[in-house]
Amino acid sequence: MAYATEQNSRNQSGLTGRFATFAAGLREQMARRRLYKETFRELAALSNRELGDLGLHRSMIRRIAWQAAYGA
């Protein structure tokens, strides 16, 4: 009987571990998405002149925000 209890304990920790990994991945994705949206919003709020001073064009905003958040 002790063996069966020990086995159940391992199964629950495995499930708990998988859930914890899933939750951590979800939190990471949410943080990356938040960074993308914030970067996009801040760059989009700049005027064309301000973007030009930074050496950017308005068409580059989406790519730059993506690179900031996802590094690709």
Side-chain angles (χ1 to χ4, degrees):
M1 189 66 138
Y3 179 76
T5 303
E6 188 175 321
Q7 186 69 23
N8 284 341
S9 176
R10 281 191 212 146
N11 287 342
Q12 289 174 351
S13 66
L15 181 59
T16 304
R18 285 193 305 250
F19 181 74
T21 302
F22 172 75
L26 188 59
R27 279 191 300 273
E28 181 181 344
Q29 286 299 320
M30 288 172 57
R32 287 179 186 263
R33 180 66 179 171
R34 193 175 315 119
L35 177 61
Y36 170 80
K37 290 172 70 172
E38 180 181 343
T39 304
F40 184 90
R41 188 176 348 106
E42 289 178 2
L43 289 174
L46 297 176
S47 69
N48 288 338
R49 172 87 184 220
E50 291 169 325
L51 287 171
D53 288 345
L54 294 171
L56 304 175
H57 188 269
R58 190 155 301 278
S59 65
M60 301 167 70
I61 292 175
R62 189 174 312 263
R63 181 173 44 95
I64 291 169
W66 184 268
Q67 288 174 342
Y70 299 100

